[in-house]
Amino acid sequence: QKAQAELARVSDSETPQTHAQVLITKGEILRDLWRCDEAIEVLQEILRLCDVGVKAKAEIDRLMPQLDRAMNEGREDDAEAFMNQMEPLLEKKQYAGLQKDFMGTHLTIAEMKESQEEWDAALDIYKLKVGMAMQYDNFGNPLNFTAVDQRRLYMGMSRCFYHKAEYKHAIELGSGAIEMNRHFPMVHKYVALSQKASGDMDAAVRTMARAVH
């Protein structure tokens, strides 16, 4: 309650950075309180602002060479027109910084959907908003996500497939998460549960044995 009161005291509109930080903190508090609908609403607003920032940055990048050319050629009226177009974009551009945790925000929304037992909605986010958005360089190294993001993706999808009784997919994805970090808490759970539900008790026992060694 004290944290929420402090958030209410801070003006959301002082600067884009302040506004963004207030939303991030508010989302974290609501997530920790498991007030899922409210947390999702805040997180979706963060993603909306991120999109605003990315589009503003792209438009500035498009206009900047034209501004430079107009100034170099002494076309003062054209230069002023370009600067007028860019002025409202400069503030919006600051929201582009939210992109650094773009994947993490989507993953948190999916996890909130899981907590509401909305398995299909969570899977849609995992597959369409995260999995399909992951980018790699020519050597297969991640460009816009971390190993933690990838593990959260595999574990989340494994949980969803388990609850949908699609055990083969749950085992495959959960096994991928185990290979990434077998010491991470709970990483073995839904693989073992899926193996047990599939009738392979021996495999389930072996999987859980790996969790304690």
Side-chain angles (χ1 to χ4, degrees):
Q1 290 181 340
K2 288 182 179 179
Q4 287 180 300
E6 180 63 18
L7 287 174
R9 188 183 65 79
V10 178
S11 170
D12 279 11
S13 58
E14 284 185 45
T15 66
Q17 293 95 330
T18 302
H19 187 192
Q21 190 55 56
V22 167
L23 287 173
I24 290 168
T25 305
K26 187 181 295 183
E28 290 171 350
I29 291 170
L30 292 168
R31 178 199 63 198
D32 293 343
L33 293 172
W34 289 101
R35 290 164 57 176
C36 299
D37 288 334
E38 294 170 82
I40 289 170
E41 185 176 339
V42 171
L43 293 169
Q44 287 175 335
E45 175 64 6
I46 290 172
L47 291 173
R48 186 191 70 80
L49 289 173
C50 175
D51 186 59
V52 167
V54 169
K55 288 178 178 177
K57 182 180 182 300
E59 183 64 5
I60 288 171
D61 291 344
R62 185 186 71 82
L63 291 170
M64 187 61 74
Q66 299 178 63
L67 171 61
D68 289 341
R69 188 160 54 249
M71 293 181 69
N72 290 335
E73 294 173 359
R75 293 184 284 114
E76 295 182 4
D77 289 345
D78 289 343
E80 184 176 356
F82 287 128
M83 286 189 285
N84 288 338
Q85 289 182 63
M86 291 170 63
E87 184 177 358
L89 298 172
L90 293 172
E91 185 172 287
K92 293 178 180 179
K93 177 187 174 183
Q94 296 176 59
Y95 287 119
L98 293 168
Q99 194 174 26
K100 66 181 182 296
D101 198 32
F102 178 82
M103 291 295 187
T105 303
H106 276 300
L107 287 165
T108 300
I109 293 174
E111 289 161 358
M112 292 289 98
K113 291 293 186 182
E114 283 188 66
S115 72
Q116 296 174 310
E117 299 185 1
E118 296 184 24
W119 313 119
D120 288 325
L123 275 172
D124 283 345
I125 295 170
Y126 284 131
K127 290 189 288 187
L128 302 178
K129 300 294 186 181
V130 181
M132 291 183 66
M134 288 180 166
Q135 298 175 4
Y136 302 83
D137 64 18
N138 293 332
F139 302 97
N141 300 310
L143 291 175
N144 63 339
F145 64 96
T146 66
V148 172
D149 292 335
Q150 193 167 30
R151 175 185 50 71
R152 286 175 70 188
L153 172 67
Y154 289 168
M155 287 181 67
M157 292 183 71
S158 179
R159 288 191 298 267
C160 290
F161 280 125
Y162 167 76
H163 287 292
K164 285 169 59 66
E166 296 183 29
Y167 302 123
K168 180 181 178 181
H169 293 317
I171 292 167
E172 290 174 351
L173 287 157
S175 297
I178 292 171
E179 291 304 315
M180 294 185 69
N181 184 354
R182 72 182 185 88
H183 300 291
F184 191 83
M186 306 297 288
V187 73
H188 299 78
K189 178 178 178 180
Y190 286 92
V191 174
L193 287 174
S194 296
Q195 290 166 332
K196 179 183 176 182
S198 300
D200 193 346
M201 195 64 189
D202 290 341
V205 170
R206 288 195 300 272
T207 296
M208 291 312 298
R210 292 181 67 190
V212 296
H213 290 296

